[in-house]
């Protein structure tokens, strides 16, 4: 376990082996605390101001056999800014992946990974207006490497990504709730 406390933020990280070293796990997090100091202000608007970030990371890897290794990783982070009740702007990311590595003898290796990512934001001045949006990606990668000889390697594979993009939802005191039509896309390479 490692950690630290600074003037602006703090962090902590823990890692450990799994099953006698066949695998490992890591978990880490950070958080800033500028907003905590604003609570000491004599100005009520500054006391209600939110300005901070936080993020969490995790990674797990495990050797199933001599030729097979699996892994999972995830990240979640958020940034928050809001001046009292007058304005807010929040944004963040989520990313996850699952990976399987396999060796077919000495010449051919395979890496298969599935992933999901999400970027989201919200901006507004509640209750006057509020806009929310996000971008979501889901995908699969198949990567292979074949050793032709000691000097030459052949790399090939396939990648597919599905995009789901709801461009925005607009709400507000004197507005009718409105949403821009979602957009979808598929990319294969």
């Amino acid at each position: 376990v490692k950690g630290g406390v600074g003037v602006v933020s703090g962090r902590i990280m823990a890692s450990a082996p799994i099953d006698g070293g066949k695998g490992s796990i890591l978990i880490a997090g950070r958080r800033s605390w500028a907003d905590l100091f604003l609570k000491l202000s004599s100005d009520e608007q500054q006391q209600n101001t939110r300005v901070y970030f936080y993020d969490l990371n995790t990674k797990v890897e495990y050797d199933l056999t001599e030729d097979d290794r699996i892994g999972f990783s995830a990240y979640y982070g958020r940034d928050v800014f809001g001046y009292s009740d007058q304005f807010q702007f929040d944004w963040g990311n989520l990313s996850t992946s699952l990976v399987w590595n396999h060796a077919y003898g000495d010449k051919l290796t395979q890496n298969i990974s599935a992933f999901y990512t999400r970027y989201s934001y919200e901006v507004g001045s509640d209750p006057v207006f509020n806009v929310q949006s996000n971008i979501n990606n889901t995908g699969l990668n198949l990567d292979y490497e074949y050793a032709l000889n000691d000097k030459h390697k052949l790399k090939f594979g396939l990648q597919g990504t599905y995009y789901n993009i709801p461009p925005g939802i607009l709400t507000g005191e004197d507005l009718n709730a409105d949403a821009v039509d979602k957009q979808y896309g598929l990319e294969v390479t």
Side-chain angles (χ1 to χ4, degrees):
V1 175
K2 293 180 182 178
V5 176
V7 175
V8 177
S9 66
R11 66 191 182 285
I12 189 164
M13 190 244 341
S15 63
I18 299 173
D19 196 16
K22 289 179 74 175
S24 63
I25 185 169
L26 177 134
I27 299 171
R30 299 182 305 163
R31 202 239 194 234
S32 67
W33 36 64
D35 59 319
L36 300 179
F37 293 111
L38 292 173
K39 301 252 183 255
L40 302 173
S41 172
S42 59
D43 184 324
E44 186 176 337
Q45 287 187 326
Q46 286 184 1
Q47 289 175 2
N48 294 326
T49 294
R50 301 174 306 134
V51 55
Y52 63 91
F53 72 84
Y54 62 90
D55 57 37
L56 303 167
N57 287 281
T58 188
K59 185 173 185 177
V60 180
E61 294 182 327
Y62 191 79
D63 292 329
L64 294 172
T65 68
E66 189 175 298
D67 296 327
D68 293 285
R69 181 173 187 84
I70 58 171
F72 172 78
S73 63
Y75 167 84
Y76 181 75
R78 200 92 191 136
D79 292 73
V80 178
F81 175 74
Y83 182 69
S84 189
D85 294 335
Q86 297 178 20
F87 181 79
Q88 69 174 25
F89 184 36
D90 304 350
W91 65 95
N93 292 288
L94 167 68
S95 177
T96 61
S97 69
L98 185 60
V99 178
W100 173 37
N101 302 320
H102 178 74
Y104 296 97
D106 294 336
K107 294 200 174 263
L108 180 64
T109 59
Q110 157 192 289
N111 295 311
I112 298 176
S113 61
F115 64 87
Y116 173 78
T117 65
R118 176 185 174 111
Y119 168 76
S120 62
Y121 74 88
E122 184 174 351
V123 61
S125 179
D126 214 20
V128 178
F129 79 95
N130 194 44
V131 178
Q132 299 174 7
S133 184
N134 56 67
I135 300 170
N136 306 285
N137 300 324
T138 304
L140 181 66
N141 295 327
L142 307 169
D143 296 315
Y144 294 88
E145 184 175 294
Y146 184 77
L148 298 169
N149 55 45
D150 291 343
K151 295 183 180 181
H152 298 92
K153 295 179 182 176
L154 176 64
K155 294 183 178 184
F156 57 97
L158 180 67
Q159 175 184 356
T161 304
Y162 175 72
Y163 299 95
N164 176 359
I165 305 170
I169 299 171
L170 175 64
T171 58
E173 189 174 62
D174 295 325
L175 302 170
N176 294 325
D178 195 14
V180 178
D181 291 338
K182 290 183 179 182
Q183 302 293 313
Y184 303 95
L186 180 61
E187 177 182 8
V188 178
T189 56

